[in-house]
Amino acid sequence: MKIHINEQKLNHQYGYRIIKRLFDMVASSIAVVLLSPLFLIIAICIKLDDPKGPVFYSQTRVGKDGRQFKMFKFRSMVNNADELLAELRSKNEVNGAMFKMKNDPRITRVGRFIRKYSLDELPQLINVIGGSMSIVGPRPPLVNEVEQYTDYDKQRLMVKPGATGMWQVGGRNDVDFDEMVKLDLTYIQERSVWLDLKIMFETVKVMIIPNGAY
């Protein structure tokens, strides 16, 4: 059954949006400070594994209402990964408007580890502080992915994208594109402070015991 979001209802969630933004700023700022030693360790490991490339990787993603922004991650692939993508398109293992490949040859040794435990996503806390992302929300898609979206799929863009969400805790790469859209729209339709807290708790569990990340 397809889910259709009531945009008017979303626009009237004033209290929830204010609480969510305040929590995002405070929690992300504290997390960046507390996790700074881990950031340093990951940065050193990335440089030792692949000295020629940068520690961080930024990529243009599509956010709320189709606005584009630069999303930050720890670099987990070789330096020319984007150039090599065209050669791998035919080996995509996920149906729909996104690319996933379990044994992607572009991933470095350190990259495979930090992706498995979702550590590569930690710099997105900077995006959350800046306001382009939220802690919880739909996965931020690539520009070329959105170009393939139907009007139904574009409902994912009605709220800020998240560093984590129902897709990440609900199966991640074991879930195909259509199921990911369904999970995201379910979140948008039902989102609340309590649901956000539940997803964050589940995210911590998934980081300790990975559920299909690669």
Side-chain angles (χ1 to χ4, degrees), residues 1-7 9-10 13 16-17 20 136-138 155 158-159 165-166 169 181-199:
M1 186 177 75
K2 290 203 169 186
I3 300 171
H4 295 281
I5 305 301
N6 186 328
E7 187 172 2
K9 180 181 176 181
L10 284 183
Q13 293 179 321
Y16 167 75
R17 295 206 307 272
K20 186 178 180 74
V136 180
Q155 291 182 104
M158 294 172 72
V159 300
M166 292 186 76
V169 301
V181 172
K182 184 178 179 180
L183 287 171
D184 286 338
L185 297 186
T186 298
Y187 166 75
I188 293 171
Q189 189 174 59
E190 300 178 1
R191 66 183 191 154
S192 66
V193 172
W194 301 117
L195 181 56
D196 286 350
L197 291 174
K198 179 181 178 182
I199 290 173

Side-chain angles (χ1 to χ4, degrees), residues 76-91:
S76 61
M77 292 186 173
V78 294
N79 206 30
N80 62 336
D82 290 339
E83 299 170 16
L84 299 174
L85 179 58
E87 302 172 13
L88 299 171
R89 287 285 184 192
S90 61
K91 299 180 181 179

